[in-house]
Amino acid sequence: MAAVEAGSCQLKARKEALNDLERALQKFPPLLERTFHAGAEYFFLFFLIFLLALSASSPTQNFVKCPSGALKWSMRKLRSLEQILLYDPDIIALQEVDHFEDYYLPSLRKVGYDGLFVAKKDSPCLKFPNNSGPDGCAMFYDIERFALVNRKDVTLKDSNGLLANQVALIVNLFDKVHEKTLCCVVTHLKAKQEFEELRHCQGLQLLECVSESTSDDKSVLVFGDFNAEPTERVCQLMETNQYLCLKNSYISATGANPEFTTWKFRPDKEVKHTIDYVWHSPDLSVTGCLKVPDGGDVPAERLPCFQYPSDHLSLVFDFCWG
């Protein structure tokens, strides 16, 4: 009875927080319209959102057609939390997070989550005046549903074997409902087309670390910005390697990769491609998926925009043990 009452209070708190956010954002257009395809029930819901750290959110350097108001932290922080609470996830993974301690952790703790964070060792955010700390990867979990077993912070290496500026967070969570342990991993691999081989090497490092951190049954979710098209070697590596054989969750749900997961204007070109993924172990089944918006629904200035706070679309899935 106590657990039921706690869950009821938690749900009420999340609804109230979402209502507060919607009121604060009522002068802005609604979030991009997206369709959620789900089965009759779900066991746990995972939400992956890609944020914009302070170092990335410059309209003159990175998002040449984005309205300057859409990049303001005062708006983006509300819009990002709004879309998280809209789907009421059990597990949340965030990237390019530079407001972990002062915003996301306290805001999400108020509505029943706890969170973990691993910072980049040389975060560009620290070079800005009045910064809020380094950016990195974060993970939150519903404390009524999951209990933390352990965590492992990973700093990936560069092509010379030296520590790079890419990180991963590996978290083992115990599902109190099904009494099973789930290994959740969030990472952000090296960007730019010329680093394909490095991303492949970092993928191998990541899989080795994950394999060392899981139990024998290997219930695993790996998610993040791989900065790699579906045809790139690191994506193929995720499905065929000596450590774990994972499946592409979007393909499991819909039969194909999304048309795009990021769409933006850079100073020299328009960028529209799929580089973000959620990979799941074979013992997990995908029972629901939030589809990317229709291209015609994305504003002319692309992403980010007033309807969406990041240049990458969130990935949302329902999973259950098969």
Short mmCIF file of all heavy atoms in Angstrom, two decimals, residues 34-89:
data_model
loop_
_atom_site.label_atom_id
_atom_site.label_comp_id
_atom_site.label_asym_id
_atom_site.label_seq_id
_atom_site.Cartn_x
_atom_site.Cartn_y
_atom_site.Cartn_z
N ARG A 34 4.50 14.67 -32.71
CA ARG A 34 5.09 13.36 -32.99
C ARG A 34 4.11 12.27 -32.58
O ARG A 34 3.35 12.44 -31.62
CB ARG A 34 6.42 13.19 -32.23
CG ARG A 34 7.45 14.25 -32.59
CD ARG A 34 8.70 14.14 -31.77
NE ARG A 34 9.45 12.93 -32.07
CZ ARG A 34 10.61 12.62 -31.49
NH1 ARG A 34 11.13 13.44 -30.57
NH2 ARG A 34 11.25 11.51 -31.81
N THR A 35 4.15 11.15 -33.26
CA THR A 35 3.23 10.04 -33.01
C THR A 35 3.94 8.95 -32.23
O THR A 35 5.05 8.56 -32.58
CB THR A 35 2.71 9.46 -34.34
OG1 THR A 35 2.08 10.49 -35.09
CG2 THR A 35 1.70 8.34 -34.06
N PHE A 36 3.26 8.47 -31.18
CA PHE A 36 3.82 7.37 -30.40
C PHE A 36 3.09 6.08 -30.73
O PHE A 36 1.87 5.99 -30.59
CB PHE A 36 3.70 7.65 -28.89
CG PHE A 36 4.54 6.74 -28.05
CD1 PHE A 36 5.86 7.04 -27.79
CD2 PHE A 36 4.03 5.57 -27.54
CE1 PHE A 36 6.66 6.20 -27.02
CE2 PHE A 36 4.80 4.72 -26.77
CZ PHE A 36 6.13 5.05 -26.52
N HIS A 37 3.84 5.10 -31.22
CA HIS A 37 3.28 3.79 -31.53
C HIS A 37 3.61 2.85 -30.39
O HIS A 37 4.77 2.58 -30.10
CB HIS A 37 3.87 3.26 -32.84
CG HIS A 37 3.40 4.02 -34.04
ND1 HIS A 37 2.28 3.69 -34.74
CD2 HIS A 37 3.91 5.12 -34.65
CE1 HIS A 37 2.11 4.53 -35.75
NE2 HIS A 37 3.09 5.41 -35.71
N ALA A 38 2.58 2.34 -29.71
CA ALA A 38 2.81 1.50 -28.54
C ALA A 38 1.92 0.28 -28.57
O ALA A 38 0.84 0.28 -29.19
CB ALA A 38 2.56 2.30 -27.26
N GLY A 39 2.36 -0.76 -27.87
CA GLY A 39 1.54 -1.95 -27.70
C GLY A 39 0.51 -1.75 -26.61
O GLY A 39 0.29 -0.64 -26.13
N ALA A 40 -0.11 -2.82 -26.20
CA ALA A 40 -1.17 -2.73 -25.20
C ALA A 40 -0.64 -2.33 -23.83
O ALA A 40 -1.34 -1.75 -23.03
CB ALA A 40 -1.89 -4.08 -25.11
N GLU A 41 0.63 -2.66 -23.55
CA GLU A 41 1.21 -2.33 -22.25
C GLU A 41 2.72 -2.20 -22.40
O GLU A 41 3.30 -2.61 -23.40
CB GLU A 41 0.89 -3.41 -21.22
CG GLU A 41 1.41 -4.80 -21.59
CD GLU A 41 1.08 -5.83 -20.53
OE1 GLU A 41 0.67 -5.44 -19.43
OE2 GLU A 41 1.25 -7.02 -20.81
N TYR A 42 3.35 -1.59 -21.42
CA TYR A 42 4.80 -1.52 -21.41
C TYR A 42 5.32 -1.86 -20.02
O TYR A 42 4.62 -1.75 -19.04
CB TYR A 42 5.32 -0.15 -21.88
CG TYR A 42 5.01 1.01 -20.97
CD1 TYR A 42 5.84 1.30 -19.88
CD2 TYR A 42 3.91 1.83 -21.19
CE1 TYR A 42 5.59 2.36 -19.04
CE2 TYR A 42 3.65 2.90 -20.35
CZ TYR A 42 4.49 3.16 -19.29
OH TYR A 42 4.22 4.22 -18.47
N PHE A 43 6.57 -2.26 -19.98
CA PHE A 43 7.19 -2.63 -18.72
C PHE A 43 8.06 -1.50 -18.19
O PHE A 43 8.07 -1.22 -17.02
CB PHE A 43 8.02 -3.90 -18.90
CG PHE A 43 7.17 -5.13 -18.97
CD1 PHE A 43 6.39 -5.39 -20.09
CD2 PHE A 43 7.12 -6.02 -17.91
CE1 PHE A 43 5.61 -6.52 -20.15
CE2 PHE A 43 6.34 -7.16 -17.97
CZ PHE A 43 5.57 -7.41 -19.09
N PHE A 44 8.81 -0.87 -19.03
CA PHE A 44 9.50 0.35 -18.63
C PHE A 44 9.73 1.21 -19.86
O PHE A 44 9.83 0.73 -20.97
CB PHE A 44 10.83 0.05 -17.91
CG PHE A 44 11.81 -0.80 -18.67
CD1 PHE A 44 12.74 -0.23 -19.52
CD2 PHE A 44 11.78 -2.17 -18.52
CE1 PHE A 44 13.64 -1.02 -20.20
CE2 PHE A 44 12.68 -2.98 -19.21
CZ PHE A 44 13.61 -2.41 -20.05
N LEU A 45 9.76 2.48 -19.63
CA LEU A 45 9.87 3.45 -20.71
C LEU A 45 11.21 4.15 -20.61
O LEU A 45 11.60 4.59 -19.54
CB LEU A 45 8.74 4.47 -20.62
CG LEU A 45 8.71 5.60 -21.66
CD1 LEU A 45 8.48 5.03 -23.05
CD2 LEU A 45 7.62 6.59 -21.31
N PHE A 46 11.88 4.24 -21.72
CA PHE A 46 13.17 4.90 -21.77
C PHE A 46 13.09 6.15 -22.61
O PHE A 46 12.47 6.17 -23.66
CB PHE A 46 14.22 3.95 -22.36
CG PHE A 46 15.48 4.67 -22.71
CD1 PHE A 46 16.35 5.06 -21.72
CD2 PHE A 46 15.77 4.99 -24.02
CE1 PHE A 46 17.49 5.77 -22.02
CE2 PHE A 46 16.91 5.69 -24.34
CZ PHE A 46 17.78 6.07 -23.33
N PHE A 47 13.72 7.19 -22.14
CA PHE A 47 13.69 8.48 -22.83
C PHE A 47 15.12 8.97 -23.01
O PHE A 47 15.87 9.09 -22.04
CB PHE A 47 12.91 9.49 -21.99
CG PHE A 47 12.74 10.84 -22.63
CD1 PHE A 47 11.57 11.15 -23.29
CD2 PHE A 47 13.74 11.78 -22.57
CE1 PHE A 47 11.40 12.39 -23.87
CE2 PHE A 47 13.59 13.02 -23.14
CZ PHE A 47 12.42 13.33 -23.80
N LEU A 48 15.50 9.26 -24.24
CA LEU A 48 16.83 9.79 -24.54
C LEU A 48 16.67 11.16 -25.18
O LEU A 48 15.98 11.30 -26.18
CB LEU A 48 17.57 8.87 -25.50
CG LEU A 48 18.92 9.35 -26.04
CD1 LEU A 48 19.90 9.55 -24.90
CD2 LEU A 48 19.48 8.37 -27.04
N ILE A 49 17.27 12.16 -24.58
CA ILE A 49 17.19 13.51 -25.13
C ILE A 49 18.60 14.07 -25.30
O ILE A 49 19.48 13.82 -24.49
CB ILE A 49 16.36 14.44 -24.22
CG1 ILE A 49 16.29 15.85 -24.80
CG2 ILE A 49 16.91 14.49 -22.81
CD1 ILE A 49 15.40 16.79 -24.01
N PHE A 50 18.77 14.78 -26.39
CA PHE A 50 20.06 15.39 -26.68
C PHE A 50 19.94 16.88 -26.43
O PHE A 50 19.14 17.56 -27.06
CB PHE A 50 20.45 15.12 -28.13
CG PHE A 50 20.46 13.66 -28.46
CD1 PHE A 50 19.32 13.03 -28.92
CD2 PHE A 50 21.60 12.91 -28.27
CE1 PHE A 50 19.32 11.68 -29.20
CE2 PHE A 50 21.61 11.56 -28.55
CZ PHE A 50 20.47 10.94 -29.01
N LEU A 51 20.75 17.38 -25.53
CA LEU A 51 20.68 18.78 -25.15
C LEU A 51 21.74 19.59 -25.90
O LEU A 51 22.47 19.08 -26.74
CB LEU A 51 20.87 18.91 -23.65
CG LEU A 51 19.83 18.15 -22.84
CD1 LEU A 51 20.18 18.18 -21.37
CD2 LEU A 51 18.45 18.75 -23.04
N LEU A 52 21.82 20.85 -25.57
CA LEU A 52 22.84 21.73 -26.13
C LEU A 52 23.59 22.37 -24.99
O LEU A 52 23.03 23.11 -24.20
CB LEU A 52 22.18 22.83 -26.97
CG LEU A 52 21.78 22.50 -28.39
CD1 LEU A 52 20.98 23.65 -28.98
CD2 LEU A 52 22.98 22.23 -29.25
N ALA A 53 24.86 22.06 -24.90
CA ALA A 53 25.68 22.69 -23.88
C ALA A 53 25.94 24.14 -24.25
O ALA A 53 25.75 24.55 -25.39
CB ALA A 53 27.00 21.93 -23.72
N LEU A 54 26.37 24.91 -23.27
CA LEU A 54 26.65 26.32 -23.48
C LEU A 54 27.58 26.54 -24.66
O LEU A 54 27.39 27.43 -25.48
CB LEU A 54 27.28 26.90 -22.21
CG LEU A 54 27.77 28.35 -22.25
CD1 LEU A 54 26.59 29.29 -22.47
CD2 LEU A 54 28.48 28.69 -20.95
N SER A 55 28.60 25.69 -24.81
CA SER A 55 29.58 25.86 -25.86
C SER A 55 29.01 25.63 -27.24
O SER A 55 29.56 26.04 -28.25
CB SER A 55 30.75 24.90 -25.64
OG SER A 55 30.30 23.55 -25.68
N ALA A 56 27.87 24.91 -27.32
CA ALA A 56 27.28 24.57 -28.62
C ALA A 56 26.19 25.53 -29.05
O ALA A 56 25.80 25.53 -30.21
CB ALA A 56 26.72 23.15 -28.57
N SER A 57 25.67 26.34 -28.14
CA SER A 57 24.46 27.10 -28.43
C SER A 57 24.75 28.53 -28.86
O SER A 57 24.24 29.48 -28.30
CB SER A 57 23.53 27.09 -27.22
OG SER A 57 24.20 27.57 -26.07
N SER A 58 25.55 28.68 -29.87
CA SER A 58 25.87 29.99 -30.43
C SER A 58 25.24 30.13 -31.80
O SER A 58 25.58 29.38 -32.72
CB SER A 58 27.38 30.18 -30.54
OG SER A 58 27.68 31.30 -31.34
N PRO A 59 24.33 31.07 -32.02
CA PRO A 59 23.67 31.20 -33.31
C PRO A 59 24.63 31.62 -34.41
O PRO A 59 24.45 31.28 -35.57
CB PRO A 59 22.61 32.28 -33.06
CG PRO A 59 23.09 33.02 -31.86
CD PRO A 59 23.83 32.03 -31.03
N THR A 60 25.69 32.36 -34.08
CA THR A 60 26.60 32.82 -35.12
C THR A 60 27.55 31.72 -35.56
O THR A 60 27.97 31.69 -36.72
CB THR A 60 27.41 34.02 -34.60
OG1 THR A 60 28.09 33.65 -33.39
CG2 THR A 60 26.51 35.20 -34.31
N GLN A 61 27.89 30.81 -34.66
CA GLN A 61 28.87 29.79 -35.00
C GLN A 61 28.24 28.47 -35.43
O GLN A 61 28.80 27.77 -36.27
CB GLN A 61 29.77 29.53 -33.79
CG GLN A 61 30.63 30.72 -33.40
CD GLN A 61 31.50 30.42 -32.20
OE1 GLN A 61 31.57 29.30 -31.74
NE2 GLN A 61 32.15 31.44 -31.69
N ASN A 62 27.10 28.11 -34.88
CA ASN A 62 26.58 26.77 -35.09
C ASN A 62 25.21 26.70 -35.74
O ASN A 62 24.97 25.84 -36.57
CB ASN A 62 26.53 26.03 -33.75
CG ASN A 62 27.90 25.79 -33.17
OD1 ASN A 62 28.69 25.07 -33.74
ND2 ASN A 62 28.19 26.41 -32.04
N PHE A 63 24.31 27.59 -35.38
CA PHE A 63 22.92 27.50 -35.85
C PHE A 63 22.53 28.82 -36.49
O PHE A 63 21.89 29.67 -35.88
CB PHE A 63 22.00 27.14 -34.68
CG PHE A 63 22.45 25.90 -33.96
CD1 PHE A 63 23.03 25.98 -32.71
CD2 PHE A 63 22.31 24.66 -34.55
CE1 PHE A 63 23.46 24.84 -32.05
CE2 PHE A 63 22.74 23.51 -33.90
CZ PHE A 63 23.31 23.60 -32.64
N VAL A 64 22.93 28.97 -37.74
CA VAL A 64 22.89 30.28 -38.38
C VAL A 64 21.48 30.77 -38.67
O VAL A 64 21.27 31.97 -38.84
CB VAL A 64 23.72 30.27 -39.68
CG1 VAL A 64 25.20 30.09 -39.35
CG2 VAL A 64 23.25 29.15 -40.63
N LYS A 65 20.49 29.87 -38.75
CA LYS A 65 19.12 30.29 -39.03
C LYS A 65 18.20 30.17 -37.82
O LYS A 65 17.01 30.47 -37.91
CB LYS A 65 18.55 29.50 -40.21
CG LYS A 65 19.23 29.83 -41.53
CD LYS A 65 18.46 29.26 -42.71
CE LYS A 65 19.11 29.66 -44.03
NZ LYS A 65 18.33 29.18 -45.20
N CYS A 66 18.73 29.73 -36.71
CA CYS A 66 17.91 29.56 -35.50
C CYS A 66 17.65 30.93 -34.87
O CYS A 66 18.58 31.71 -34.68
CB CYS A 66 18.64 28.66 -34.51
SG CYS A 66 17.78 28.45 -32.95
N PRO A 67 16.39 31.23 -34.54
CA PRO A 67 16.11 32.49 -33.84
C PRO A 67 16.89 32.55 -32.53
O PRO A 67 16.94 31.57 -31.78
CB PRO A 67 14.60 32.42 -33.58
CG PRO A 67 14.08 31.42 -34.56
CD PRO A 67 15.18 30.43 -34.78
N SER A 68 17.51 33.69 -32.25
CA SER A 68 18.34 33.80 -31.05
C SER A 68 17.55 33.50 -29.78
O SER A 68 18.07 32.92 -28.83
CB SER A 68 18.96 35.19 -30.97
OG SER A 68 17.96 36.18 -30.92
N GLY A 69 16.27 33.86 -29.76
CA GLY A 69 15.46 33.59 -28.59
C GLY A 69 15.27 32.11 -28.31
O GLY A 69 15.09 31.69 -27.17
N ALA A 70 15.34 31.29 -29.36
CA ALA A 70 15.16 29.85 -29.20
C ALA A 70 16.38 29.19 -28.57
O ALA A 70 16.31 28.04 -28.14
CB ALA A 70 14.86 29.20 -30.55
N LEU A 71 17.50 29.90 -28.52
CA LEU A 71 18.71 29.36 -27.93
C LEU A 71 18.93 29.82 -26.50
O LEU A 71 19.87 29.40 -25.84
CB LEU A 71 19.93 29.75 -28.77
CG LEU A 71 20.08 29.00 -30.10
CD1 LEU A 71 21.22 29.60 -30.91
CD2 LEU A 71 20.32 27.51 -29.88
N LYS A 72 18.06 30.68 -26.00
CA LYS A 72 18.21 31.17 -24.64
C LYS A 72 17.97 30.05 -23.63
O LYS A 72 16.99 29.32 -23.72
CB LYS A 72 17.26 32.34 -24.39
CG LYS A 72 17.64 33.61 -25.12
CD LYS A 72 16.70 34.75 -24.76
CE LYS A 72 17.11 36.05 -25.44
NZ LYS A 72 16.18 37.16 -25.11
N TRP A 73 18.85 29.96 -22.65
CA TRP A 73 18.73 28.92 -21.63
C TRP A 73 17.43 29.05 -20.87
O TRP A 73 16.82 28.05 -20.47
CB TRP A 73 19.93 29.00 -20.70
CG TRP A 73 19.82 28.15 -19.47
CD1 TRP A 73 19.83 28.56 -18.18
CD2 TRP A 73 19.66 26.73 -19.43
NE1 TRP A 73 19.70 27.49 -17.33
CE2 TRP A 73 19.60 26.35 -18.07
CE3 TRP A 73 19.59 25.73 -20.39
CZ2 TRP A 73 19.45 25.04 -17.65
CZ3 TRP A 73 19.44 24.40 -19.98
CH2 TRP A 73 19.38 24.07 -18.63
N SER A 74 16.96 30.26 -20.66
CA SER A 74 15.73 30.48 -19.90
C SER A 74 14.53 29.80 -20.55
O SER A 74 13.60 29.37 -19.86
CB SER A 74 15.45 31.98 -19.75
OG SER A 74 15.36 32.60 -21.02
N MET A 75 14.55 29.66 -21.88
CA MET A 75 13.48 28.97 -22.59
C MET A 75 13.79 27.48 -22.75
O MET A 75 12.94 26.62 -22.50
CB MET A 75 13.24 29.61 -23.96
CG MET A 75 11.96 29.15 -24.67
SD MET A 75 12.06 27.55 -25.54
CE MET A 75 13.16 28.00 -26.88
N ARG A 76 15.01 27.17 -23.13
CA ARG A 76 15.36 25.78 -23.43
C ARG A 76 15.27 24.88 -22.19
O ARG A 76 14.91 23.71 -22.29
CB ARG A 76 16.75 25.69 -24.04
CG ARG A 76 16.83 26.23 -25.46
CD ARG A 76 18.10 25.78 -26.17
NE ARG A 76 19.30 26.21 -25.50
CZ ARG A 76 20.17 25.38 -24.91
NH1 ARG A 76 19.96 24.08 -24.91
NH2 ARG A 76 21.26 25.85 -24.33
N LYS A 77 15.58 25.41 -21.03
CA LYS A 77 15.54 24.57 -19.84
C LYS A 77 14.10 24.14 -19.55
O LYS A 77 13.85 22.99 -19.14
CB LYS A 77 16.15 25.28 -18.64
CG LYS A 77 15.37 26.46 -18.10
CD LYS A 77 16.06 27.05 -16.87
CE LYS A 77 15.26 28.17 -16.26
NZ LYS A 77 15.92 28.72 -15.05
N LEU A 78 13.15 25.02 -19.75
CA LEU A 78 11.75 24.68 -19.53
C LEU A 78 11.24 23.72 -20.59
O LEU A 78 10.55 22.75 -20.29
CB LEU A 78 10.90 25.95 -19.53
CG LEU A 78 11.26 27.03 -18.50
CD1 LEU A 78 10.34 28.23 -18.65
CD2 LEU A 78 11.18 26.48 -17.08
N ARG A 79 11.59 23.98 -21.83
CA ARG A 79 11.11 23.14 -22.93
C ARG A 79 11.70 21.73 -22.85
O ARG A 79 11.02 20.74 -23.13
CB ARG A 79 11.47 23.81 -24.25
CG ARG A 79 10.92 23.11 -25.47
CD ARG A 79 9.92 23.96 -26.22
NE ARG A 79 8.57 23.88 -25.69
CZ ARG A 79 7.53 24.49 -26.24
NH1 ARG A 79 7.68 25.25 -27.32
NH2 ARG A 79 6.33 24.36 -25.73
N SER A 80 12.96 21.63 -22.45
CA SER A 80 13.56 20.30 -22.35
C SER A 80 12.93 19.50 -21.22
O SER A 80 12.63 18.30 -21.37
CB SER A 80 15.07 20.41 -22.13
OG SER A 80 15.37 21.09 -20.94
N LEU A 81 12.67 20.13 -20.08
CA LEU A 81 12.03 19.43 -18.97
C LEU A 81 10.58 19.10 -19.31
O LEU A 81 10.07 18.03 -18.92
CB LEU A 81 12.09 20.28 -17.71
CG LEU A 81 11.69 19.60 -16.40
CD1 LEU A 81 12.59 18.40 -16.11
CD2 LEU A 81 11.74 20.59 -15.24
N GLU A 82 9.93 19.96 -20.06
CA GLU A 82 8.55 19.71 -20.48
C GLU A 82 8.44 18.42 -21.26
O GLU A 82 7.56 17.59 -21.01
CB GLU A 82 8.05 20.88 -21.32
CG GLU A 82 6.65 20.67 -21.91
CD GLU A 82 6.31 21.68 -22.99
OE1 GLU A 82 7.24 22.20 -23.65
OE2 GLU A 82 5.11 21.94 -23.20
N GLN A 83 9.32 18.22 -22.24
CA GLN A 83 9.20 17.02 -23.06
C GLN A 83 9.59 15.77 -22.31
O GLN A 83 9.10 14.68 -22.59
CB GLN A 83 9.98 17.16 -24.36
CG GLN A 83 11.46 17.32 -24.21
CD GLN A 83 12.17 17.17 -25.54
OE1 GLN A 83 11.76 16.38 -26.39
NE2 GLN A 83 13.23 17.91 -25.73
N ILE A 84 10.46 15.90 -21.30
CA ILE A 84 10.76 14.73 -20.47
C ILE A 84 9.51 14.31 -19.70
O ILE A 84 9.10 13.14 -19.73
CB ILE A 84 11.91 15.05 -19.49
CG1 ILE A 84 13.23 15.21 -20.24
CG2 ILE A 84 12.03 13.95 -18.44
CD1 ILE A 84 14.38 15.66 -19.36
N LEU A 85 8.89 15.24 -19.00
CA LEU A 85 7.73 14.91 -18.17
C LEU A 85 6.51 14.52 -18.99
O LEU A 85 5.63 13.81 -18.50
CB LEU A 85 7.40 16.09 -17.26
CG LEU A 85 8.50 16.47 -16.26
CD1 LEU A 85 8.05 17.64 -15.38
CD2 LEU A 85 8.89 15.28 -15.40
N LEU A 86 6.46 14.98 -20.23
CA LEU A 86 5.33 14.65 -21.10
C LEU A 86 5.19 13.14 -21.28
O LEU A 86 4.08 12.62 -21.37
CB LEU A 86 5.52 15.33 -22.46
CG LEU A 86 4.41 15.16 -23.49
CD1 LEU A 86 3.11 15.79 -22.99
CD2 LEU A 86 4.83 15.79 -24.82
N TYR A 87 6.31 12.42 -21.31
CA TYR A 87 6.28 10.98 -21.55
C TYR A 87 6.45 10.15 -20.28
O TYR A 87 6.41 8.92 -20.34
CB TYR A 87 7.34 10.60 -22.59
CG TYR A 87 7.07 11.25 -23.92
CD1 TYR A 87 7.79 12.36 -24.33
CD2 TYR A 87 6.05 10.78 -24.75
CE1 TYR A 87 7.52 12.98 -25.55
CE2 TYR A 87 5.77 11.39 -25.96
CZ TYR A 87 6.51 12.49 -26.35
OH TYR A 87 6.23 13.11 -27.56
N ASP A 88 6.65 10.80 -19.13
CA ASP A 88 6.71 10.11 -17.85
C ASP A 88 7.62 8.88 -17.90
O ASP A 88 7.21 7.76 -17.59
CB ASP A 88 5.30 9.70 -17.41
CG ASP A 88 5.26 9.21 -15.98
OD1 ASP A 88 6.10 9.65 -15.18
OD2 ASP A 88 4.40 8.37 -15.66
N PRO A 89 8.89 9.04 -18.28
CA PRO A 89 9.77 7.88 -18.45
C PRO A 89 10.26 7.30 -17.13
O PRO A 89 10.27 7.97 -16.10
CB PRO A 89 10.93 8.46 -19.25
CG PRO A 89 10.99 9.88 -18.81
CD PRO A 89 9.56 10.30 -18.59
#
